[in-house]
């Protein structure tokens, strides 16, 4: 076996892989959040739909996207096999197992939290990503006045033979015409249902608890543990695991109340 | 003090084990936990019953022989102590105490509370040593200058008595705290430099072969360690292992 495969199959290598993929996914969360926050702009989805078109058509972003799916799959498959293998190392369980331990419960429930998040991702992808890519998504036309920057009320242009994102300048009217798939409308529809809002908000709890352990743990796995920097890493981890999921959860909640 | 003991009894490695209930009376606050079991065993021997088998040797917290999980906690309640350093004053009259062996497939039960921890010996033999010339011209260890801070940290790691409480406490039955302490004590000293790379690679390889689980950074090992070996050691082992892999041919 080469030293790389020995490394990846060793108990230390396994957690290094979980750590690196986990750190990448944390970075992805930040980017994803920044994109999603555009849903809260009062522009009838102009910014968000343009962004969604860019994210799905730009070749570089496409590569990064497929890389992200691949990394999610690696993180999930490795996580599941790690959990299964670790559970099999104690055939005879303790009779007393309800002893209250001093360490945080999230660390012991990473497998369960990860499984909840995986289910959420599958649902989330089939709900938005799949429909956007392969389903029936309406098309909308925005007219941006070049002089003022005002965006006129969008016009539904579904069924007019449009198949791709279009952007052109209408010199006669001093405006720019943007025709994009209206994912925004889909999101508004989804988040007008209180059950979807609750489902998304509660799923963010699983992410918060997963990150509560995961953030600092990924540094430890890489061997980054230093008295001077530990408080910073732990503090950042706690802030990250609270702020990011809360901001994610606020999007459906705000949309539910503002699109009544 | 009168106590009810629920103790794991298992005749041998392959036998079926179960919790059995015993009553003990006249237990003094000043007795150590092991002395309390001695009292029970004397009674059992008098009744021609099989005494409870348990590991013990120095009874002063340095040999690493005593084990057992008391009320779900390796080495019982109290921080930074072994079972032999646990005193009955930690318990109350009328308490029910559950006593189990360290449980991990890599530590098979030999009898009752005695488990086979020879997997630790094999990990040590894989790389937990330094090569020293002992043919009459041994160099005095003090002749090699070592920064005080490194010496102290190496000593902290070296206080690991290899009892296995880390494995018993870990949800994954991981032995990494033990291995990391053994790797750290040498990684911090010039004497350990010669076999540095091989040590990390071989000890981790042996640890995985023995059937211990993978570390997921929970920290129960360090919380239950009678010598309070810190998680910094695990981070150091991770560094040692990563760098040894990168540098290996």
């Amino acid at each position: 076996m080469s030293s790389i495969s020995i490394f990846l199959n060793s108990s230390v290598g396994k957690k290094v892989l979980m750590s690196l993929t986990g750190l990448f996914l944390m970075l992805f969360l930040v980017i994803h959040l920044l994109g999603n926050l555009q849903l809260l702009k009062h522009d009838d989805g102009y910014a968000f739909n343009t962004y969604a078109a860019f994210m799905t058509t730009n070749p570089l972003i496409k590569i990064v996207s497929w890389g992200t799916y691949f990394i999610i799959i690696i993180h999930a498959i490795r996580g599941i096999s790690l959990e299964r293998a670790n559970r099999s190392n104690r055939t005879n369980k303790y009779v007393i197992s309800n002893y209250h331990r001093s360490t945080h419960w999230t660390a012991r429930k990473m497998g369960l939290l990860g499984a909840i998040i995986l289910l959420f991702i599958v649902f989330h992808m089939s709900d938005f990503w799949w429909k956007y890519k392969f389903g029936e998504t309406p098309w909308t036309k925005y007219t941006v006045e070049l002089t003022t920057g005002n965006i006129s009320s969008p016009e539904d242009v579904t069924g007019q033979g449009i198949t791709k994102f279009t952007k052109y300048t209408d010199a006669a009217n001093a405006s720019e015409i943007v025709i994009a798939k209206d994912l925004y409308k889909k999101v508004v529809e989804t988040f007008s249902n209180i059950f979807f809002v609750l489902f998304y908000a509660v799923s963010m709890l699983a992410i918060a608890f997963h990150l509560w352990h995961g953030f600092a743990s990924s540094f430890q796995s890489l061997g980054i543990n230093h008295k001077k920097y530990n408080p910073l890493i732990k503090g950042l981890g706690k802030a990250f695991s609270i702020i990011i999921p809360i901001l994610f959860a606020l999007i459906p909640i705000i949309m539910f109340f503002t699109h009544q | 003090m009168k106590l009810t003991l629920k103790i794991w009894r298992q005749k041998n490695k392959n036998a079926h084990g179960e919790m059995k209930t015993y009553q003990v009376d006249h237990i003094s606050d000043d007795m150590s936990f092991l002395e309390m079991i001695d009292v029970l065993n004397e009674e059992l021997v008098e009744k021609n019953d099989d005494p409870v088998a348990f590991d013990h040797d120095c009874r002063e917290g340095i040999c690493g022989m005593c084990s057992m999980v008391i009320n779900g906690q390796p080495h019982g309640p109290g921080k930074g102590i072994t079972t032999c350093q646990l005193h009955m004053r930690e318990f109350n009259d009328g308490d029910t105490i559950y006593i189990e062996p360290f449980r991990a497939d890599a530590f098979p039960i030999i009898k009752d509370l005695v488990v086979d921890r020879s997997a630790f010996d094999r990990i040590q033999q894989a790389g937990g040593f330094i090569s020293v010339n002992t043919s009459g011209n041994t160099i005095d260890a003090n002749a090699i200058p070592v920064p005080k801070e490194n010496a102290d940290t190496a000593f902290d790691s070296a206080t690991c008595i290899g009892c296995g409480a880390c494995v018993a406490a870990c949800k994954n039955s991981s032995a990494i705290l033990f291995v990391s302490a053994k790797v750290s004590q040498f990684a911090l000293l010039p004497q350990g430099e010669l076999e540095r790379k091989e040590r990390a690679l071989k000890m981790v390889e042996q640890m995985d072969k023995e059937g211990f689980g993978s570390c997921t950074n929970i920290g129960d090992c360090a919380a239950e360690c009678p010598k309070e070996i810190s998680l910094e050691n695990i981070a150091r082992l991770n560094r040692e292992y990563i760098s040894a892999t990168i540098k290996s041919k």
Side-chain angles (χ1 to χ4, degrees), chain B residues 204-221:
Chain B
V204 169
E205 186 191 351
Q206 189 63 35
M207 167 178 79
D208 292 346
K209 249 190 224 164
E210 296 289 348
F212 292 104
S214 296
C215 170
T216 54
N217 300 330
I218 299 167
D220 284 336
C221 51

Side-chain angles (χ1 to χ4, degrees), chain A residues 54-67:
Chain A
F54 170 74
M55 292 303 272
T56 45
T57 49
N58 183 296
L60 193 70
I61 301 280
K62 264 188 177 173
I63 296 169
V64 177
S65 299
W66 287 103

Side-chain angles (χ1 to χ4, degrees), chain B residues 99-116:
Chain B
I99 310 169
E100 298 176 67
F102 281 180
R103 292 190 195 274
D105 291 359
F107 284 168
I109 294 171
I110 297 170
K111 190 183 179 190
D112 299 337
L113 305 172
V114 180
V115 297
D116 179 358

Side-chain angles (χ1 to χ4, degrees), chain A residues 90-142:
Chain A
R90 185 171 284 137
T91 321
N92 291 308
K93 306 277 175 242
Y94 283 111
V95 175
I96 296 291
S97 55
N98 58 356
Y99 161 66
H100 180 78
R101 297 188 179 276
S102 54
T103 49
H104 204 263
W105 67 268
T106 51
R108 278 183 297 278
K109 297 288 176 203
M110 287 302 270
L112 177 70
L113 292 166
I116 296 172
I117 296 167
L118 185 62
L119 287 178
F120 166 76
I121 293 174
V122 170
F123 177 83
H124 177 56
M125 294 280 280
S126 62
D127 195 31
F128 290 132
W129 181 82
W130 182 266
K131 281 182 192 162
Y132 184 79
K133 286 227 153 182
F134 309 107
E136 294 269 310
T137 313
W139 287 86
T140 192
K141 181 174 152 190
Y142 297 98

Side-chain angles (χ1 to χ4, degrees), chain B residues 30-95:
Chain B
D30 297 329
M31 278 183 186
S32 80
F33 198 84
L34 296 186
E35 282 166 342
M36 184 273 294
I37 301 182
D38 290 337
V39 170
L40 168 72
N41 275 347
E42 245 172 38
E43 287 171 17
L44 290 176
V45 169
E46 275 168 23
K47 282 192 270 182
N48 269 337
D49 271 350
D50 194 18
V52 178
F54 65 99
D55 264 330
H56 60 101
D57 191 11
C58 75
R59 298 209 179 198
E60 54 184 24
I62 54 167
C63 75
M65 272 310 279
C66 59
S67 51
M68 63 183 87
V69 171
I70 301 157
N71 289 341
Q73 232 178 327
H75 293 297
K79 244 188 115 46
I81 54 163
T82 54
T83 301
C84 65
Q85 293 170 303
L86 174 66
H87 286 84
M88 295 314 293
R89 63 183 84 98
E90 301 294 330
F91 300 91
N92 300 312
D93 188 35
D95 274 1

